[in-house]
Amino acid sequence: MPSTQLSEPSPAELAAADTEAAAAVSKQAGPTAEPERADSAAEPESTGLADDVATPPTASLALGPVQRIVRGIGRIPVVKVEPVIEGGAYAAKAVAGESFPVRARVFREGHDKANATVVLTDPAGRQSEFPMAQIWPEGLDIWEAWVTADTAGDWTFRVEAWSDPWATWRQTAEVKLPAGIDADLVYREGHAILSRSRELAAQAGNRQAADRLDGWSQLFTIGPPVEAVLALLADPGLEAAMAQWRPRELVSPTAEFPLQVDRRLALCSAWYEFFPRSQGACRDDRGAWVSGSFDSCHERLQAAAAMGFDIVYLPPIHPIGLSCRKGRNNTLTAGPDDPGSPWAIGSAAGGHDAIHPDLGDFEAFGRFVAQARSLGLEVALDFALQTSPDHPWTTSHPEWFSHRADGSIAYAENPPKKYQDIYPLNFDNDPDGLYLECRRLLEFWIARGVTVFRVDNPHTKPVQFWSWLLKEIRRSHPEVIFLAEAFTRPEAMQALGKVGFHQSYTYFTWRNAKWEIEEYLTELSGQTAAFFRPNFFVNTPDINPVSLRSGLPAAFAIRAILAATASPSWGVYSGFELCEHAPLKPDGEEYLDSEKYEYRPRDFEAPGNLNLLITTLNLIRRAHPALQQLRQFQLHRSGNDNILVFSKRSGDDRVIVVLSLNPAAGEQAELDLDFEALGLADHSEITVRDALTGSVWRWGRRPYVSLTPDQPAHILSIESD
């Protein structure tokens, strides 16, 4: 791999970097603004696959991220910029219209004041500025701005620190004038700064602002009383004008950091998973199973849309191998009617670019996609990079597999478990061929209307491969969304988010105690939010959660409410709405009679179903922007380990969720609401409306709640008084 180590910059390179930095500063920089003296490096060579997408990943090409020019500490120091992913090697994530925080540590020598601005640059090169403010604790020099990118695409951002002569003068005036120290000199300095601001406004063509600033500046030429000057400094009009027109000196920009802005579905979505073969499956006159098909799934699409889902996700729809096919409940011997696991992909009928004959043909699939779109649904396919022993690749491309000492292809193992029906791929023997084939497969299905992919076990493939593949697809199809089904160690899950996965499955199904949930929600909404977007699936074909094993309807309601309100994306695997919960083994996570190995037609209108609750939750989510975002999340205290309380905000929309974690009995608590975190510091009471029941209450900071299995939660919106 070519070296990307940075060399010590020469004086000429430093001068060139200075010139580049000066060109990037704001138009409003004062006459005395100076460019940052920045460290630089030789122009970096490309270290992704070549820009030509047809170029295969040959060994002579590096597969790592692009090394970007790094700036050192400038005249006004800016350090610890967030969100910067792996030093700027990968893009931070946002979606169009989403507010997200940019933070940095900004300081300077002496007592003069520093200030800072975030500058966003959109894909067309247009820039927008967001003023930063110092946040608590002030002694740590933390500056923050909440910014918004309004369109999808590849953006950049930087932080510009600058010396603030207005704030410096104001601090001096507020100390010296009441003490009668150097009043005449203070007036002269104030007049000079306001005159510069007037010039900046005039140069920008804002005559009204220039005239107002001129009037204020003239006040200092007549020796005004101290009281008049202090009153002027308290004038909101002056402060607003100076916020826009104050001179900025010694402007010191950071490097440009990448920002990937996606469409909103990448952050906020509701998923419904079902097996097409089970929809409409039945036994014929001889008692043999007849598979469901794409055409028999249209009714399920209508039901998913009626419940408010955005995405229907299908497990693999490809031909299933016969060799080593698994039978019911994962037995090693399949019966004549056992359809096999859809994840054992490939047979004589084809591989990853084929459709299982029982499901229909490509015309039937086209009708399915068209029906979904007409209902406002997008179709997600499972992208599972593995094969059955019968897949065409095993003979046409044996180099894409690992081989054992006896020459046989190695099947998947997780000792002591063996998966004889699954062959994992080897990405190192022929990366050129395998990488390009994987890209071809995605392009194949995208051309047939698929806009979302759920990727099976991506953590068992090289992260470097995903970095390349996702970049390639984003280049030609930026609308396509990828969900990582990576139940693995935190670093591996997070790395997949950093290199481009839009969403990821999480540890949600294993977080049950209040302290576990609180800790996890705090992590997801804070330290990882810039690159790891969670999707809270309440169950999966592989995971029958412990929290649901009781079969109590309240247990299912609690987990659905928690998933739908705590995460902007959530998902349901069919059968959840019927409270299916029987485990294969008492201490195992597999479902009894798992749909992975057999047909499971269901009566979705059976008594006790949760269809209404799920529909209500999705309606609530659509009505409240606060529930569609990840980052503005706050825990509140309840004093009861079985009652969880949190709130979410977006603009003026505030939602408080109070949730019992006990499905078997009632729970009561006196809450301790943080009104300051809710932006209600000046309120003693608020009006709240429960979106689940319509009930309205007046709440103070310490309301009393009583929850029951029949009514285990409040989802409360704060109404304007």
Side-chain angles (χ1 to χ4, degrees):
M1 179 180 296
S3 172
T4 57
Q5 184 174 1
L6 296 177
S7 60
E8 185 68 22
S10 67
E13 289 170 329
L14 283 172
D18 281 347
T19 302
E20 179 187 348
V25 301
S26 168
K27 297 177 182 177
Q28 296 177 9
T32 60
E34 297 177 4
E36 173 197 14
R37 180 175 176 82
D39 294 331
S40 181
E43 183 68 21
E45 57 190 289
S46 173
T47 54
L49 287 182
D51 290 339
D52 180 359
V53 297
T55 303
T58 57
S60 63
L61 293 174
L63 289 168
V66 173
Q67 177 66 60
R68 302 179 186 278
I69 293 177
V70 178
R71 300 192 190 286
I73 292 176
R75 177 62 184 84
I76 306 297
V78 185
V79 298
K80 299 182 179 178
V81 180
E82 303 172 7
V84 176
I85 312 304
E86 298 296 335
Y90 302 102
K93 290 189 178 70
V95 298
E98 176 189 11
S99 294
F100 64 95
V102 175
R103 301 186 182 96
R105 306 295 177 98
V106 178
F107 55 94
R108 68 165 302 177
E109 79 289 348
H111 297 289
D112 285 2
K113 290 290 193 178
N115 210 320
T117 305
V118 177
V119 181
L120 291 187
T121 303
D122 74 9
R126 293 181 293 265
Q127 295 188 347
S128 52
E129 295 186 352
F130 299 82
M132 303 185 81
Q134 196 167 2
I135 63 174
W136 185 89
E138 291 188 4
L140 296 183
D141 298 311
I142 305 171
W143 290 70
E144 177 186 82
W146 283 79
V147 307
T148 304
D150 56 7
T151 58
D154 293 328
W155 293 58
T156 63
F157 74 94
R158 67 178 182 269
V159 174
E160 291 181 353
W162 39 281
S163 179
D164 189 343
W166 169 252
T168 301
W169 176 83
R170 181 178 182 128
Q171 175 181 254
T172 299
E174 289 172 342
V175 172
K176 286 188 173 183
L177 292 181
I181 301 172
D182 298 335
D184 183 62
L185 184 58
V186 170
Y187 292 164
R188 288 173 179 266
E189 292 168 344
H191 172 72
I193 293 171
L194 286 166
S195 296
R196 289 171 60 189
S197 296
R198 179 202 63 209
E199 292 172 7
L200 290 170
Q203 291 168 8
N206 192 325
R207 176 49 55 188
Q208 182 179 9
D211 289 344
R212 294 190 71 192
L213 289 162
D214 183 62
W216 285 319
S217 71
Q218 294 306 315
L219 174 68
F220 290 96
T221 66
I222 62 175
V226 168
E227 294 76 12
V229 174
L230 295 177
L232 176 61
L233 294 182
D235 184 341
L238 173 63
E239 189 57 33
M242 292 305 289
Q244 184 172 5
W245 301 111
R246 70 180 73 190
R248 302 198 292 181
E249 299 176 346
L250 306 176
V251 178
S252 304
T254 65
E256 295 282 346
F257 299 109
L259 174 67
Q260 174 180 313
V261 181
D262 302 307
R263 61 188 180 114
R264 286 198 61 80
L265 199 70
L267 170 67
C268 178
S269 54
W271 294 56
Y272 186 75
E273 176 182 2
F274 67 89
F275 284 63
R277 71 187 185 189
S278 291
Q279 310 309 311
C282 61
R283 293 187 181 273
D284 63 16
D285 294 341
R286 297 177 291 105
W289 277 106
V290 176
S291 174
S293 66
F294 290 128
D295 286 335
S296 65
C297 288
H298 289 206
E299 182 179 348
R300 200 75 216 127
L301 289 176
Q302 294 167 359
M307 286 189 286
F309 289 101
D310 308 300
I311 296 171
V312 287
Y313 153 50
L314 309 182
I317 60 173
H318 315 298
I320 298 171
L322 292 172
S323 300
C324 303
R325 175 177 287 190
K326 296 294 185 69
R328 295 185 64 215
N329 291 315
N330 201 25
T331 56
L332 295 179
T333 303
D337 278 352
D338 291 337
S341 168
W343 284 271
I345 297 169
S347 74
H352 288 74
D353 54 2
I355 291 174
H356 196 297
D358 289 351
L359 298 178
D361 55 18
F362 281 100
E363 289 187 0
F365 182 72
R367 291 191 294 272
F368 177 89
V369 172
Q371 173 71 358
R373 287 181 173 174
S374 72
L375 295 167
L377 296 167
E378 297 194 32
V379 174
L381 282 192
D382 199 297
F383 190 54
L385 294 179
Q386 60 205 30
T387 79
S388 80
D390 303 326
H391 196 289
W393 289 347
T394 61
T395 54
S396 63
H397 289 285
E399 70 278 11
W400 291 354
F401 301 89
S402 296
H403 292 75
R404 306 186 69 178
D406 62 1
S408 63
I409 294 177
Y411 54 76
E413 293 187 77
N414 186 13
K417 296 180 180 178
K418 296 183 177 183
Y419 303 93
Q420 296 91 336
D421 59 336
I422 302 290
Y423 282 177
L425 300 175
N426 184 314
F427 285 79
D428 297 317
N429 291 339
D430 176 26
D432 289 34
L434 187 51
Y435 279 42
L436 292 178
E437 174 65 2
C438 292
R439 188 183 68 190
R440 183 192 71 81
L441 291 171
L442 289 173
E443 296 275 7
F444 179 89
W445 290 107
I446 292 169
R448 285 155 181 79
V450 178
T451 51
V452 185
F453 292 91
R454 179 268 200 188
V455 179
D456 189 67
N457 288 329
H459 57 288
T460 62
K461 289 81 181 173
V463 174
Q464 193 177 59
F465 159 72
W466 292 119
S467 178
W468 175 82
L469 184 62
L470 298 179
K471 186 184 301 181
E472 288 288 294
I473 297 301
R474 180 172 176 78
R475 192 196 319 253
S476 54
H477 301 285
E479 76 284 359
V480 172
I481 292 169
F482 290 88
L483 167 66
E485 188 246 5
F487 296 115
T488 185
R489 300 178 304 280
E491 287 297 334
M493 293 173 70
Q494 293 174 19
L496 292 167
K498 291 174 182 178
V499 302
F501 275 93
H502 299 83
Q503 298 182 9
S504 178
Y505 285 71
T506 68
Y507 301 140
F508 171 73
T509 49
W510 298 281
R511 297 295 184 264
N512 300 311
K514 178 181 176 180
W515 70 268
E516 293 177 313
I517 297 169
E518 290 183 334
E519 185 179 84
Y520 197 42
L521 295 181
T522 300
E523 173 189 326
L524 292 173
S525 62
Q527 67 191 69
T528 62
F531 57 85
F532 185 88
R533 298 189 187 113
N535 190 321
F536 281 5
F537 263 79
V538 289
N539 66 331
T540 78
D542 297 302
I543 303 172
N544 179 7
V546 172
S547 59
L548 305 179
R549 301 283 177 79
S550 67
L552 294 172
F556 286 78
I558 288 167
R559 295 302 286 188
I561 293 168
L562 180 56
T565 58
S567 173
S569 287
W570 78 302
V572 171
Y573 158 54
S574 61
F576 176 90
E577 64 267 54
L578 300 177
C579 300
E580 292 179 1
H581 64 280
L584 179 61
K585 298 178 181 178
D587 57 348
E589 291 186 336
E590 288 280 352
Y591 281 98
L592 179 66
D593 301 329
S594 170
E595 195 171 8
K596 292 187 295 183
Y597 308 107
E598 61 182 89
Y599 301 103
R600 286 291 303 271
R602 296 176 172 93
D603 177 6
F604 288 101
E605 300 300 323
N609 70 74
L610 300 179
N611 296 341
L612 179 59
L613 173 64
I614 292 171
T615 303
T616 301
L617 290 173
N618 281 328
L619 286 172
I620 293 171
R621 284 163 50 85
R622 291 185 176 181
H624 288 283
L627 299 179
Q628 300 168 24
Q629 58 82 42
L630 174 64
R631 305 174 200 251
Q632 297 189 65
F633 168 88
Q634 178 67 43
L635 291 169
H636 302 265
R637 292 183 290 273
S638 73
N640 182 330
D641 286 342
N642 280 324
I643 293 184
L644 174 71
V645 189
F646 63 87
S647 63
K648 303 184 82 173
R649 294 180 61 186
S650 179
D652 294 331
D653 186 39
R654 303 173 179 89
V655 175
I656 302 171
V657 178
V658 184
L659 178 66
S660 171
L661 302 178
N662 183 354
E667 297 285 348
Q668 299 79 37
E670 183 181 74
L671 311 184
D672 185 0
L673 299 179
D674 186 341
F675 273 28
E676 286 73 18
L678 288 165
L680 302 168
D682 58 343
H683 287 62
S684 59
E685 285 191 337
I686 55 176
T687 301
V688 295
R689 179 181 297 273
D690 191 343
L692 290 172
T693 65
S695 299
V696 178
W697 299 285
R698 288 289 290 176
W699 274 15
R701 294 172 183 254
R702 302 183 66 87
Y704 174 82
V705 297
S706 180
L707 302 172
T708 67
D710 290 335
Q711 188 63 52
H714 300 308
I715 303 176
L716 304 164
S717 60
I718 300 176
E719 300 196 335
S720 300
D721 291 331

